[in-house]
């Protein structure tokens, strides 16, 4: 339950419950005196439409709302804003994608803004927003607003446009969608709930994480949305006020600047009642209001030479105070919108590479994904090198170079944007140009200089006991910048339907090098015994589609702990020099496998030869010790089998092992009369240095590691 406090009271007076015919269907948050932010699928449910309906809500259709913590009995009405409608979609690009197909994961969009057509109850007020997560715990309320159903969560990872959070207390039910995520330590909303991964066994039971849409994504999806409120800044406010009084000494100049700033921020002007305090309060209380204030004052003072010479000292004081009052924002709303529009056209820049280049010494990378959130983060960093050029401009210059190397014409617009913004930020264009030329003269290890890697199909498999039915999610990882979920199956299906889903993804999502794509199954340790490499699909178009024969198939563990990671890292460094370790039936005895693994701490590859019913015990011991790769035969466990498997690995590198195993499986299938070929029941757990688990893997800590 949310404790009573002033901070929480701000949340409660902005919490909105969205109602359908049978009661609450979702939630929302008041962002102005007339606008409510929620999810598009919540509006669809309230209007009795299909949740994934992509068409805008019909003009004139009425959505019923309540504010349970302000006036529980008062009904409010609203209509969906046609120009601020972003339905759920499965692709990053807006428009043209159509409705989400059955079995696809939306993962993008799903935002709507409701315009109130009735008067707010007394005591209601818009919520303040802040963009960063900062690793703080957040809370969410159910649609009814009942604080007994509060959910607490911690951000785990950012995946494309949505953020994944681990639920630390409470249970997520249908109806949380659209509601605000409240960071009580910072007194602000940091996003809205959009989805959860629900169990097919019960309507009100939930498994897996919760998803949210953070503020940078909301602004990128809804560029026409008026700037949201923010918590009133404290530090630097008095210095800002003093500088404004020096720069705007007359009442007329204050009124002109206040009217212009109000128009920029879509707020109602105070008119002749404007004074320095109201002007400052307007800027401090609105997202990107302080950069807009600097722009307005500069425009007011401008002459052909820029800020007048006799105002230069006061102007510098204003700029320094602005950095103290709003350290994470340097761009105006218009400049930010222009940048987001350009970033949407960038294809050659890997966010992970950009983060390493711009912040090479950050030990714990921030939980951001995508260029939009990354550039939003860079605004808050002070550059250690090239102090004359803000870190944000450095990042955009690097993006422009990457796109230019890839032949993307958007690079020229990126350079023009940098030039425009540099002038407004009093940054020397000559310094920016020199920085760009310095980068051109040094070979860069970015994605534009890296060979194209074979794509990988990653299947997060959730078996239903006893292991004959499954739910799953399928991801595509192309070895460069793409790593996104493309197919989700929430109802229980047999293995042939899993294969059918994999085949569909290979056909529709993998455009290049599809014939070399590696299929990776991420499963929890108890299910590593599954014969996924023998699964097949009897298709009408061609013959049997055997996964482990037509392409490489490996098992990966979705579990990695802090204790096992140290061993995993040590064994990674020794992969090229260590020899495989053989664990036979003796290793099944308590403590034997652990002792042998500890006695050879650098062995990254294990050959397992024990009875089938004991294999899972040894596999778990290997995972706990940080072993990368385990090769075993599911049926044979004699000495000859161990020799054959050892011989199979001679002369090949660790990275070639999946293809070597695939060829052995193919040879066994090509000789049906030979029932003793070891490739027939050959299995491979391949947990090497390129392990990149899906962001929904059960172990949250593993997501912060390679």
């Amino acid at each position: 339950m949310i404790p009573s406090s002033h901070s929480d009271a701000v949340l409660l007076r902005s919490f909105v419950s969205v109602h359908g015919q049978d009661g609450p269907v979702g939630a929302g948050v008041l962002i102005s005196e007339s606008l409510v932010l929620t999810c598009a699928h919540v509006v669809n449910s309230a209007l009795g439409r299909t949740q994934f309906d992509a068409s805008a809500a019909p003009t004139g259709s009425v959505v019923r709302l309540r504010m349970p913590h302000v006036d529980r009995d008062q009904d409010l009405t609203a209509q969906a804003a046609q120009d601020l409608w972003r339905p759920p979609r499965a692709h990053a690009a807006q428009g043209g994608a159509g409705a989400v197909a059955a079995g696809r994961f939306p993962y993008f969009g799903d935002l709507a803004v409701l315009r109130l057509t009735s008067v707010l109850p007394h005591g209601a007020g818009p919520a303040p927003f802040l963009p960063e997560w900062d690793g703080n715990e957040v809370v969410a309320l159910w649609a009814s607003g009942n604080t007994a159903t509060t959910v607490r969560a911690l951000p785990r990872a950012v995946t494309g446009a949505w953020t994944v959070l681990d639920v630390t207390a409470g249970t997520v039910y249908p109806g949380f969608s659209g509601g605000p995520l409240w960071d009580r330590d910072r007194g602000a909303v940091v996003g809205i709930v959009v989805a959860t991964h629900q169990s097919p066994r019960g309507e009100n039971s939930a498994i897996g994480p919760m998803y949210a849409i953070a503020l940078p994504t909301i602004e990128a999806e809804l560029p026409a949305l008026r700037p949201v409120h923010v918590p009133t800044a404290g530090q630097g406010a008095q210095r800002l006020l003093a500088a404004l009084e020096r720069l705007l000494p007359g009442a007329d100049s204050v009124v002109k600047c206040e009217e212009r700033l109000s128009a920029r921020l879509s707020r109602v002007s105070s008119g002749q009642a404007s004074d320095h305090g109201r002007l400052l309060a307007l800027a401090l209380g609105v997202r990107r209001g302080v950069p807009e204030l600097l722009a307005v004052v500069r425009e007011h003072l401008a002459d052909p030479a820029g800020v007048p010479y006799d105002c230069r000292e006061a102007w510098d004081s204003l700029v320094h105070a602005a950095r103290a009052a709003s350290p994470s924002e340097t761009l105006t709303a218009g400049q930010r919108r222009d940048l987001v529009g350009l970033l949407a056209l960038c294809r050659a820049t890997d966010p992970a590479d950009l983060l390493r280049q711009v912040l090479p010494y950050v030990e714990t990378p921030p939980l951001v994904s995508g260029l939009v959130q990354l550039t939003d983060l860079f605004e808050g960093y002070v550059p250690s090198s090239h102090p004359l050029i803000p870190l944000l401009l450095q990042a955009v210059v690097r993006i422009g170079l990457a796109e230019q190397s890839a032949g993307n014409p958007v690079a020229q617009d990126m350079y023009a944007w940098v030039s425009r913004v540099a002038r407004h930020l009093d940054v020397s264009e000559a310094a920016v140009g020199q920085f760009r030329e310095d980068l051109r003269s040094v070979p860069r290890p970015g994605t534009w200089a890296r060979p194209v890697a074979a794509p990988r199909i990653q299947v997060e498999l959730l078996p239903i006991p006893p292991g004959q039915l499954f739910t799953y999610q399928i991801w595509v990882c192309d070895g460069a910048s793409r790593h996104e979920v493309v197919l989700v199956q929430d109802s229980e299906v047999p293995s042939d339907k899993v294969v059918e889903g994999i085949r569909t993804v290979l056909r529709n999502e993998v455009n290049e090098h599809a014939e070399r794509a590696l299929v990776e199954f991420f499963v929890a340790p108890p299910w590593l015994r599954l014969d996924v490499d023998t699964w097949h699909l009897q298709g009408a178009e061609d013959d049997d589609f055997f996964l482990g024969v037509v392409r490489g198939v490996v098992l990966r563990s979705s579990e990695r702990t802090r204790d096992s990671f140290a061993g995993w890292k040590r064994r990674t460094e020794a992969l090229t020099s260590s020899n495989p370790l053989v664990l036979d039936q003796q290793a099944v005895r308590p403590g034997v496998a652990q002792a042998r693994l500890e006695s050879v701490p650098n062995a990254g590859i294990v050959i397992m030869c024990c009875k089938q019913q004991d294999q899972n015990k040894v596999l778990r011991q290997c995972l706990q010790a940080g072993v990368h790769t385990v090769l075993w035969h599911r049926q044979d466990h004699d000495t000859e089998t161990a020799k054959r498997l050892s011989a199979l690995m001679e002369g090949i590198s660790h990275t070639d092992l999946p293809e070597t195993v695939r060829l052995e499986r193919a040879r066994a299938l090509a000789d049906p009369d030979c029932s003793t070929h070891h490739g027939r029941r050959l299995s491979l757990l391949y947990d090497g240095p390129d392990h990149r688990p899906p962001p929904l893997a059960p172990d949250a800590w593993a997501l912060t590691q390679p």
Side-chain angles (χ1 to χ4, degrees):
M1 189 176 221
I2 295 184
S4 176
S5 70
H6 172 72
S7 171
D8 295 331
V10 174
L11 166 67
L12 299 180
R13 70 190 184 99
S14 65
F15 182 83
V16 177
S17 179
V18 182
H19 288 249
Q21 292 182 350
D22 300 324
V25 296
V29 57
L30 191 67
I31 59 175
S32 76
E33 291 73 12
S34 60
L35 298 179
V36 172
L37 178 66
T38 185
C39 293
H41 81 264
V42 171
V43 177
N44 282 334
S45 297
L47 296 176
R49 308 200 309 168
T50 304
Q51 279 194 337
F52 291 156
D53 195 330
S55 61
T59 303
S61 56
V62 176
V63 179
R64 294 191 303 114
L65 309 173
R66 285 187 182 179
M67 302 193 72
H69 298 285
V70 180
D71 190 335
R72 182 174 296 276
D73 299 323
Q74 180 178 347
D75 286 326
L76 305 174
T77 57
Q79 295 181 351
Q82 301 287 315
D83 57 333
L84 298 173
W85 176 264
R86 295 292 181 271
R89 63 184 190 275
H91 299 277
Q94 293 185 13
V100 179
R104 302 260 323 181
F105 198 73
Y107 211 62
F108 295 95
D110 207 349
L111 290 167
V113 175
L114 300 174
R115 284 195 171 93
L116 291 167
T117 56
S118 55
V119 180
L120 284 172
H122 178 70
F129 279 74
L130 284 177
E132 288 99 7
W133 292 91
D134 288 345
N136 287 359
E137 184 182 65
V138 293
V139 296
L141 296 177
W142 188 49
S144 69
N146 190 337
T147 55
T149 55
T150 297
V151 163
R152 299 175 184 270
L154 284 170
R156 178 202 294 185
V158 179
T159 59
W162 289 4
T163 300
V164 184
L165 302 101
D166 286 309
V167 176
T168 57
T171 304
V172 183
Y173 300 97
F176 275 90
S177 292
L181 282 177
W182 181 252
D183 186 335
R184 64 155 43 97
D185 290 338
R186 303 166 67 209
V189 173
V190 295
I192 63 172
V193 180
V194 65
T196 187
H197 197 56
Q198 287 190 330
S199 167
R201 289 187 168 273
E203 182 181 355
N204 289 332
S205 61
I207 60 174
M210 182 170 66
Y211 303 83
I213 308 178
L215 180 57
T217 300
I218 294 172
E219 292 179 331
E221 291 276 354
L222 303 172
L225 183 68
R226 60 185 295 179
V228 294
H229 293 268
V230 297
T232 302
Q235 186 178 4
Q238 291 302 311
R239 282 179 283 166
L240 278 171
L241 191 59
L244 286 174
E245 290 173 346
R246 294 173 61 188
L247 290 169
L248 307 174
D252 289 342
S253 61
V254 175
V255 171
K256 289 179 181 178
C257 288
E258 196 274 346
E259 289 176 343
R260 184 176 297 181
L261 182 60
S262 297
R264 283 174 174 259
L265 300 176
S266 302
R267 297 302 192 271
V268 178
S269 172
S270 299
Q272 293 300 314
S274 300
D275 55 26
H276 294 97
R278 285 186 174 89
L279 176 62
L280 179 59
L282 175 62
L284 292 177
V286 180
R287 167 87 162 144
R288 301 200 175 278
V290 173
E292 293 282 9
L293 174 65
L294 294 179
V296 165
V297 173
R298 183 165 190 163
E299 290 171 2
H300 178 75
L301 300 174
D303 62 12
V307 177
Y309 178 78
D310 56 350
C311 297
R312 174 57 64 179
E313 182 181 352
W315 171 257
D316 290 341
S317 298
L318 184 69
V319 171
H320 293 153
R323 291 173 180 169
S326 182
S328 63
E329 296 175 345
T330 59
L331 302 180
T332 66
Q335 292 166 347
R336 181 64 185 167
R337 271 197 305 269
D338 291 342
L339 177 59
V340 169
L342 294 173
L343 295 176
L345 303 176
C346 295
R347 298 289 181 268
T349 307
D350 182 3
D353 282 348
L354 182 64
L355 183 62
R356 287 191 293 269
Q357 293 165 14
V358 179
L359 298 176
Y361 304 114
V362 174
E363 295 183 1
T364 304
L367 294 178
V368 293
S369 175
L371 296 177
V372 171
Q373 290 193 336
L374 203 55
T375 51
D376 189 83
L377 170 78
F378 288 151
E379 283 190 70
Y381 279 85
V382 178
S384 56
S385 60
H386 296 278
L388 298 178
I389 307 174
L391 211 61
L392 173 66
L393 293 188
Q394 294 184 30
V396 179
V397 168
R398 291 179 183 274
I399 294 172
L401 288 173
E403 299 302 322
Q404 185 178 31
S405 299
N408 191 343
V410 77
Q412 299 306 317
D413 288 302
M414 302 288 289
Y415 297 153
W417 182 91
V418 170
S419 179
R420 288 179 54 241
V421 173
R423 289 196 300 271
H424 286 282
L425 298 180
D426 290 327
V427 176
S428 169
E429 290 189 62
V432 174
Q434 186 61 53
F435 176 71
R436 183 184 298 118
E437 294 306 315
D438 290 344
L439 289 178
R440 279 199 178 108
S441 63
V442 178
R444 297 177 300 277
T447 55
W448 55 87
R450 187 173 61 204
V452 178
R456 292 183 282 169
I457 306 299
Q458 300 179 328
V459 185
E460 186 185 20
L461 198 63
L462 302 173
I464 308 299
Q468 297 173 334
L469 295 176
F470 312 89
T471 61
Y472 63 85
Q473 297 182 100
I474 300 182
W475 301 69
V476 171
C477 181
D478 63 5
S481 59
R482 187 186 186 195
H483 186 230
E484 60 179 322
V485 66
V486 295
L487 188 62
V488 171
Q489 177 65 43
D490 285 330
S491 59
E492 302 166 4
V493 296
S495 62
D496 62 316
K497 294 298 182 182
V498 182
V499 180
E500 184 178 351
I502 294 172
R503 194 179 196 183
T504 300
V505 170
L506 286 167
R507 183 188 303 116
N508 298 336
E509 300 290 341
V510 182
N511 300 322
E512 297 181 3
H513 310 287
E515 70 283 352
R516 296 194 292 120
L518 179 69
V519 177
E520 303 169 306
F521 283 88
F522 287 81
V523 293
W527 301 102
L528 290 174
R529 57 177 172 78
L530 290 172
D531 303 348
V532 294
D533 49 81
T534 64
W535 288 356
H536 67 282
L537 172 68
Q538 186 73 35
E541 299 178 0
D542 27 43
D543 296 331
D544 288 349
F545 183 79
F546 284 92
L547 277 178
V549 175
V550 298
R551 63 185 63 254
V553 173
V554 300
L555 285 168
R556 288 191 187 274
S557 170
S558 60
E559 180 179 284
R560 184 182 294 156
T561 66
R562 291 184 181 274
D563 293 335
S564 68
F565 178 68
W568 184 89
K569 188 174 182 179
R570 180 182 63 249
R571 295 174 193 272
T572 296
E573 298 170 350
L575 263 181
T576 57
S577 58
S578 62
N579 294 320
L581 172 67
V582 178
L583 295 180
D584 54 18
Q585 189 64 35
Q586 297 270 341
V588 177
R589 297 178 181 177
V592 174
Q594 180 181 358
R596 291 186 180 178
L597 289 166
E598 290 180 355
S599 66
V600 189
N602 293 331
I605 301 176
V606 165
I607 296 174
M608 182 175 66
C609 287
C610 59
K611 294 180 181 179
Q612 189 169 3
Q613 62 268 28
D614 298 322
Q615 290 171 355
N616 223 55
K617 301 177 185 177
V618 180
L619 283 171
R620 181 176 287 274
Q621 291 289 333
C622 291
L623 291 175
Q624 292 174 352
V627 171
H628 298 97
T629 302
V630 182
L631 184 65
W632 76 97
H633 195 280
R634 287 192 294 273
Q635 187 171 355
D636 298 337
H637 58 278
D638 53 18
T639 304
E640 290 301 318
T641 300
K643 291 180 179 179
R644 286 197 297 267
L645 297 183
S646 298
L648 181 65
M649 302 182 63
E650 289 183 2
I652 66 170
S653 67
H654 180 267
T655 55
D656 294 332
L657 193 53
E659 177 62 13
T660 301
V661 172
R662 186 193 72 81
L663 291 175
E664 290 301 309
R665 291 170 181 154
R667 292 189 183 100
L669 192 66
D671 189 5
D673 295 332
C674 179
S675 59
T676 60
H677 195 289
H678 61 264
R680 194 171 300 277
R681 305 277 291 175
L682 197 58
S683 284
L684 177 65
L685 169 70
Y686 185 77
D687 205 18
D690 63 340
H691 184 167
R692 186 181 184 183
L696 302 186
D699 182 12
W701 181 83
L703 303 172
T704 66
Q705 305 301 339

